[in-house]
Amino acid sequence: MVIRARSSKLTHLFKFLLAGLIYLSSAFAVIKTDSISFQFHNTPLKNALKQLIDDHGVSIVFPDDIVNTPISAQCKSCTQEEAVVAVLSTSNLVWKQTGNQFTVFNSVTPFRFAVSGRALDKETGEPIPFANVFIPELMIGDISQNDGSFSILNISTRSCTLHISYIGYETEKVPILFPKGESVFHEIFISPKVLNTETVSIMGTTREFMDRSNSPGQISFSPRHISTLPNLGEVDIFRSLQLLPGIQLGLGGTSGLNIRGGTPDQNLVLLDGMPLYQTDHLFGFVSGMNANAIKDVQVYKGGFPAQYGGRISSVIELTSRNGNSLKPHGSIYGNLMSQGVSGEIPILSRGSWIFNLRSSTTSTFKTELYESIQEYVTGDDNFNLIDESADITKDQGATYSPQFSYLDFTNRFSFMLTPNHRLTLTNTTGLDSIRESRDFFGFSTILGYDSSYTQGSTEWKNNGTTLNVSSKWNHESDTQITLSNYDYSSSYDSKDSADVNNVRMLIGSVNEENTLQDRSLKFHHRYMGFENHKFESGIDETFYDISFSDHKIDGTTSNESSIEQNGFLHSFYIQDLWVPSPRWVIQPGLRVSYFSERVGFYTSPRLSVINKISPNITVESFIGKHYQFVHRLSGYNTTRGTQGMWILSSEDIPNISSLNTHFGLNCDFSDYTITGEFYYRSMDDLVQFKESSIPVTALRNDLGEEESLMNIGSGKTNGIEIILRKRKGPITGWLSYQRNKTQYTFPNLNQGKPFFSDHDKTQEFKSVFMTNIGSWELTANWVFASGHVYTDSENVDVENLQIIISSHKNESRLSSIHHLDVSLSKTWRVSIAKIHTGLSIYNLYDRNNISHKRYNPYKSELTMTDVVMFGITPTIFLQISF
């Protein structure tokens, strides 16, 4: 009998498992083969390749004639591809993969790799603009764009290390292997420098505020530690910028920026690409931008590239913060001038929303500092001069009750559409409100009534919105589109009443409504496809709408007038950043503008050259033509409603033009840098309004030339700047010296002879010292400056209560000013909150500094008195973040 074994399911299962093990064993073998680890040090290239073949089973074919140079490479748990890349990374060989086989051969053409990415804040995920991205071994690099993106092309090696640095951040070093690194968009996170913790203060780490940038005369400024600088009531960006070389200290401590002899209205101030026209509060004492809302500040005070236009003195480019995209964040803060709140909210891990709200403390209580500022900024007002002229022997007197307040709100929405496309929407709103009540008694000879009363209300409003879309199309090309709308309005209402036959009657009123609207479209394109060249081009389209309305009632007479200006400015620019060698950087540029109100094309050629004489010494120069098509109304003769308003060039008002030149020498050492710069600027068609600067009157074209209400002249400014900066050590800071001369020449002023501008200062010396005492941060600055110019009273005439200077204008100068300011601050961590508080003292030794002279034409004889700046002024501040 033959007994057959029974077929069972178990037998089939056994066969299935056996086949599976055989299959998996081959899979495991592959994994084992791909898990390659080695470390070569000065190993001949051929030996390294053979070791990959013999020890790790990598299939490699290579010719015998390859250069057998020693290599150093390492790999830990690498794939076959990663191992081959590591071994060949320092050679001039190329390879291709066919299946599991790698073929190595000599390259016919030189390597030309590229790398792109974005610099980001490790703590918040915010893009970092104007970060320096550099490959030291090749001496090539890029500056990150406003969205943090960068590209470096023509990399002639298989491996390199990116060095990413920014003011106040640790330098990040990222190794890149090609060709794999070329196909990856690198998001590189860099960490803010940690100055101190709860228990440890790092003495070798300094607070960094500024650095030189890539254009002649350009300064990069970071407001991250701005609260540790001494301040006058408010943590202020613009007043902090005044500590930099080339930027004058403001008149009496105000925040206005006179840069290299220019006036504040000659500065182009941009917020995320949107031009700002109202940049201050409290008559210029406080800057209108909240420091907590700003990430980066770029100041172009030498020569600015062709992509910027419309002003003749400087460019101040503000980049607002994106906000924390990783986790929610908020803070509250306050000082003797204002209080505020901010918040940051992530959006789907792809974006964020940040807001900052600030309002003055005057709406709740008045500090002694506020009252001092109020007295200073209103002292030159005509009504106050009438009050000062009171003669108690004639029972003359006056009372003045003002109420000033301001607020601003800035918010930004940012969203990453794709890794290469980012959208941001920024809005800023500001409001200044002034309520005034004045009573006069015994001034019938000036005001027409023995007892008169004035109630006034002034409001300055601004609101701006800008949309930015940034796109990085590939390694070679990126674009940015900016759409913005900015509105500024100034309104003034006053009602005058008087006692007539013991009855209070309304005798007159004034109503002024003035508005400005700027609508802009900007398209900027950068192309880097040609070796050693970065071409940038773009168009700027700006549409202006300006209106002035003035309605006055005087007794039974009513006068109403208005005027409108509508114009457009079309501009096209192109520039090339040419790097013929690692030692030379040459940037020619051309900007062409067409302005509708003065028909014609205005050509602005520009050229900058940077030469690296040695690793530590750099020489730079710039020359460029600039035009300005808008003018700001200012001076003693403006009304409350027109003060600070803007007006367009027209057939009667010329465009301002200037030719700017700059030459600089920089010596850079490990701990110190020293920079010397010389500048010269000639200006044509400067405009000054005469006794009346009411635009409706000044723009009348039915007046003869001899009755023109404008003076048109020219000017020139020149000077030198020297700065010594200490970057490392227990004490850091800088010393700077500036010598400047600014003169104007107007045929109808000062008998046609040149005279110093009102803001001219011969010299300024500024010093800033920073250190840590334990966990406390100590900062001190001492400044010394020439006094302002003025005209002696014997050369001043009074006609119809107006000041007239016919000769010897600004030939005298006030005594020099100097003051020492100190700040002491500390940061605590309490649970999830971070508390930053401190004390700042302005003018520590209580120096009696004279700001300017005040003329009073309302007295029987003209008087001239000294206006004293602030004495010793302490300020406290507190910020709680969570």
Side-chain angles (χ1 to χ4, degrees):
M1 180 191 300
V2 177
I3 301 176
R4 299 179 181 272
R6 289 185 302 171
S7 176
S8 69
K9 293 182 179 179
L10 184 61
T11 302
H12 293 297
L13 178 62
F14 173 77
K15 294 179 180 179
F16 176 77
L17 291 175
L18 180 61
L21 287 173
I22 294 173
Y23 174 78
L24 289 176
S25 64
S26 62
F28 291 148
V30 173
I31 293 174
K32 182 177 181 181
T33 302
D34 275 352
S35 183
I36 300 173
S37 299
F38 60 78
Q39 184 168 3
F40 298 132
H41 180 67
N42 289 330
T43 303
L45 177 59
K46 290 183 179 180
N47 294 356
L49 291 173
K50 290 178 180 179
Q51 188 170 331
L52 288 183
I53 297 171
D54 298 336
D55 296 350
H56 302 286
V58 183
S59 178
I60 304 176
V61 177
F62 60 90
D64 291 333
D65 61 347
I66 64 173
V67 180
N68 196 24
T69 56
I71 66 162
S72 296
Q74 62 180 2
C75 218
K76 186 176 181 180
S77 300
C78 295
T79 64
Q80 290 186 357
E81 180 182 353
E82 291 170 340
V84 172
V85 169
V87 170
L88 300 179
S89 62
T90 58
S91 72
N92 291 325
L93 301 173
V94 295
W95 56 268
K96 67 177 181 178
Q97 184 178 4
T98 306
N100 291 327
Q101 179 175 289
F102 296 87
T103 303
V104 179
F105 51 91
N106 291 300
S107 175
V108 178
T109 59
F111 294 139
R112 287 295 181 264
F113 296 114
V115 62
S116 296
R118 178 172 284 113
L120 301 165
D121 187 306
K122 190 173 183 178
E123 290 187 355
T124 65
E126 289 182 280
I128 299 180
F130 298 97
N132 185 28
V133 186
F134 193 61
I135 303 177
E137 56 264 38
L138 300 178
M139 297 294 291
I140 58 176
D142 192 19
I143 301 295
S144 65
Q145 303 295 293
N146 293 80
D147 63 347
S149 64
F150 63 87
S151 287
I152 303 177
L153 283 73
N154 300 311
I155 301 174
S156 57
T157 181
R158 283 192 172 280
S159 67
C160 65
T161 301
L162 293 181
H163 290 230
I164 301 93
S165 60
Y166 181 69
I167 305 169
Y169 283 72
E170 301 288 353
T171 298
E172 186 73 16
K173 300 178 182 179
V174 180
I176 305 292
L177 295 178
F178 298 106
K180 183 178 180 180
E182 191 172 37
S183 60
V184 177
F185 188 80
H186 301 268
E187 291 193 337
I188 301 173
F189 292 85
I190 61 177
S191 301
K193 290 182 178 179
V194 179
L195 302 183
N196 54 65
T197 63
E198 291 183 36
T199 58
V200 179
S201 175
I202 305 174
M203 298 298 293
T205 303
T206 179
R207 287 164 280 151
E208 295 178 341
F209 291 94
M210 67 168 173
D211 202 356
R212 295 177 64 249
S213 195
N214 60 334
S215 291
Q218 181 182 354
I219 295 179
S220 297
F221 183 82
S222 172
R224 180 168 172 245
H225 301 295
I226 194 175
S227 61
T228 66
L229 289 174
N231 59 77
L232 186 57
E234 178 76 77
V235 178
D236 195 290
I237 284 186
F238 284 5
R239 195 178 292 116
S240 299
L241 290 177
Q242 293 174 1
L243 295 174
L244 303 181
I247 304 178
Q248 283 185 199
L249 300 170
L251 177 66
T254 56
S255 64
L257 298 180
N258 296 101
I259 300 179
R260 290 190 169 180
T263 55
D265 66 305
Q266 294 172 356
N267 303 322
L268 176 62
V269 182
L270 299 171
L271 174 65
D272 295 339
M274 173 177 60
L276 303 180
Y277 292 83
Q278 177 68 4
T279 59
D280 55 56
H281 295 300
L282 277 181
F283 297 95
F285 194 85
V286 177
S287 64
M289 293 311 305
N290 188 340
N292 292 295
I294 302 301
K295 176 69 175 180
D296 177 88
V297 182
Q298 297 294 313
V299 181
Y300 299 83
K301 59 187 179 70
F304 33 103
Q307 71 185 86
Y308 303 105
R311 302 293 189 277
I312 65 169
S313 181
S314 72
V315 175
I316 301 168
E317 186 174 13
L318 307 172
T319 303
S320 63
R321 294 187 55 214
N322 277 271
N324 198 317
S325 62
L326 304 178
K327 57 183 179 181
H329 178 76
S331 67
I332 56 175
Y333 49 91
N335 52 58
L336 296 184
M337 290 292 295
S338 67
Q339 64 271 316
V341 58
S342 67
E344 304 170 38
I345 302 173
I347 300 176
L348 302 176
S349 299
R350 297 171 65 91
S352 60
W353 178 58
I354 179 174
F355 68 88
N356 283 272
L357 173 64
R358 177 179 64 168
S359 65
S360 59
T361 58
T362 56
S363 58
T364 53
F365 65 94
K366 294 183 180 180
T367 64
E368 183 177 346
L369 174 61
Y370 163 77
E371 293 178 348
S372 299
I373 295 173
Q374 168 194 299
E375 181 180 351
Y376 179 84
V377 299
T378 62
D380 294 326
D381 184 277
N382 286 331
F383 287 113
N384 281 340
L385 295 178
I386 294 174
D387 182 12
E388 286 186 2
S389 68
D391 186 347
I392 58 175
T393 62
K394 299 180 180 179
D395 293 329
Q396 290 181 332
T399 60
Y400 177 45
S401 301
Q403 177 65 53
F404 296 172
S405 65
Y406 64 88
L407 65 85
D408 50 58
F409 179 74
T410 303
N411 72 108
R412 175 170 177 166
F413 166 81
S414 62
F415 194 77
M416 183 177 65
L417 303 173
T418 71
N420 292 328
H421 303 275
R422 181 178 288 267
L423 176 149
T424 64
L425 182 66
T426 307
N427 174 263
T428 181
T429 301
L431 171 65
D432 276 73
S433 178
I434 305 171
R435 302 288 185 269
E436 299 168 287
S437 176
R438 302 176 185 271
D439 299 340
F440 295 94
F441 307 97
F443 290 96
S444 58
T445 56
I446 299 176
L447 301 177
Y449 297 91
D450 186 70
S451 299
S452 59
Y453 313 91
T454 299
Q455 299 290 329
S457 171
T458 307
E459 283 192 347
W460 296 312
K461 299 178 182 178
N462 64 86
N463 181 49
T465 302
T466 178
L467 172 68
N468 282 277
V469 180
S470 303
S471 300
K472 189 155 197 63
W473 304 106
N474 49 49
H475 293 303
E476 301 174 346
S477 180
D478 56 62
T479 59
Q480 180 168 331
I481 298 174
T482 303
L483 296 171
S484 66
N485 182 83
Y486 187 90
D487 294 295
Y488 173 59
S489 65
S490 170
S491 64
Y492 174 64
D493 284 288
S494 72
K495 290 181 171 55
D496 300 324
S497 56
D499 290 340
V500 180
N501 297 324
N502 296 323
V503 178
R504 184 166 299 184
M505 300 178 58
L506 182 66
I507 58 175
S509 64
V510 176
N511 174 258
E512 295 183 50
E513 296 288 343
N514 309 309
T515 62
L516 173 147
Q517 183 181 45
D518 176 309
R519 292 166 292 162
S520 297
L521 165 64
K522 300 179 182 180
F523 174 81
H524 179 78
H525 178 250
R526 187 172 70 149
Y527 180 73
M528 297 172 287
F530 297 103
E531 186 175 357
N532 300 329
H533 291 270
K534 293 180 182 178
F535 287 99
E536 295 180 271
S537 60
I539 58 172
D540 289 354
E541 304 288 336
T542 303
F543 299 88
Y544 301 100
D545 293 295
I546 297 177
S547 66
F548 295 88
S549 175
D550 182 20
H551 185 200
K552 290 185 174 65
I553 297 177
D554 185 4
T556 59
T557 304
S558 176
N559 294 310
E560 187 171 357
S561 57
S562 63
I563 192 170
E564 291 188 359
Q565 286 187 304
N566 308 106
F568 56 84
L569 176 65
H570 300 318
S571 299
F572 167 79
Y573 63 87
I574 184 170
Q575 60 192 25
D576 174 29
L577 188 68
W578 177 33
V579 187
S581 73
R583 294 177 51 188
W584 288 90
V585 178
I586 303 173
Q587 187 175 38
L590 179 67
R591 185 180 184 92
V592 180
S593 300
Y594 175 86
F595 185 54
S596 63
E597 300 305 284
R598 290 183 68 90
V599 178
F601 290 92
Y602 300 88
T603 304
S604 303
R606 300 169 193 181
L607 175 67
S608 68
V609 179
I610 300 175
N611 177 222
K612 200 171 187 64
I613 298 177
S614 71
N616 299 328
I617 301 177
T618 303
V619 176
E620 60 184 29
S621 60
F622 171 86
I623 184 170
K625 184 77 173 179
H626 307 278
Y627 289 94
Q628 181 164 333
F629 305 93
V630 292
H631 314 266
R632 194 172 196 186
L633 302 174
S634 62
Y636 297 112
N637 300 313
T638 54
T639 63
R640 179 59 59 80
T642 60
Q643 183 177 4
M645 273 302 297
W646 295 77
I647 195 167
L648 294 179
S649 294
S650 65
E651 292 182 359
D652 302 309
I653 303 177
N655 307 316
I656 305 174
S657 64
S658 73
L659 180 66
N660 298 4
T661 57
H662 164 97
F663 178 82
L665 174 67
N666 182 73
C667 300
D668 195 347
F669 305 100
S670 59
D671 294 343
Y672 296 88
T673 63
I674 182 169
T675 302
E677 297 176 339
F678 167 80
Y679 59 89
Y680 175 83
R681 178 166 70 247
S682 60
M683 297 165 283
D684 293 317
D685 295 325
L686 295 173
V687 175
Q688 285 191 356
F689 290 93
K690 291 186 179 179
E691 285 68 34
S692 172
S693 53
I694 300 174
V696 176
T697 305
L699 288 176
R700 288 175 56 189
N701 54 18
D702 57 347
L703 296 176
E705 184 177 349
E706 68 279 0
E707 297 180 282
S708 172
L709 298 179
M710 292 172 290
N711 288 311
I712 300 174
S714 61
K716 60 182 179 179
T717 180
N718 61 81
I720 60 171
E721 300 168 8
I722 301 174
I723 179 171
L724 172 65
R725 186 158 62 99
K726 188 175 184 293
R727 298 182 297 185
K728 299 179 181 179
I731 299 178
T732 59
W734 63 88
L735 306 173
S736 71
Y737 174 79
Q738 175 187 357
R739 189 172 184 86
N740 176 80
K741 181 180 180 180
T742 303
Q743 285 187 313
Y744 294 155
T745 302
F746 287 80
N748 298 325
L749 293 178
N750 201 43
Q751 298 178 342
K753 298 178 181 179
F755 59 91
F756 288 110
S757 67
D758 291 341
H759 59 274
D760 178 82
K761 284 186 180 180
T762 303
Q763 56 188 349
E764 284 188 344
F765 174 81
K766 292 174 277 194
S767 59
V768 178
F769 302 96
M770 297 174 289
T771 190
N772 289 356
I773 303 176
S775 58
W776 290 85
E777 297 168 329
L778 175 64
T779 306
N781 65 259
W782 184 77
V783 299
F784 174 91
S786 301
H788 278 278
V789 293
Y790 69 97
T791 304
D792 286 326
S793 56
E794 58 263 26
N795 296 314
V796 178
D797 297 320
V798 179
E799 295 181 8
N800 298 322
L801 299 178
Q802 295 286 337
I803 300 293
I804 305 296
I805 300 175
S806 57
S807 64
H808 302 285
K809 180 178 176 64
N810 290 346
E811 289 189 354
S812 299
R813 191 176 294 274
L814 296 170
S815 58
S816 300
I817 67 168
H818 55 86
H819 54 85
L820 173 66
D821 314 323
V822 297
S823 174
L824 188 64
S825 61
K826 184 176 180 178
T827 300
W828 285 273
R829 291 192 178 274
V830 180
S831 184
I832 62 172
K834 182 172 70 172
I835 303 174
H836 185 213
T837 186
L839 169 69
S840 180
I841 302 177
Y842 175 87
N843 197 0
L844 183 63
Y845 51 77
D846 203 21
R847 161 77 176 183
N848 189 40
N849 292 310
I850 300 175
S851 168
H852 60 283
K853 292 287 188 178
R854 179 175 293 161
Y855 304 98
N856 193 334
Y858 295 100
K859 292 190 176 183
S860 57
E861 292 185 1
L862 176 73
T863 61
M864 184 175 65
T865 58
D866 294 335
V867 179
V868 179
M869 297 167 60
F870 299 94
I872 182 171
T873 307
T875 300
I876 58 174
F877 64 89
L878 172 67
Q879 181 172 8
I880 303 175
S881 305
F882 49 88

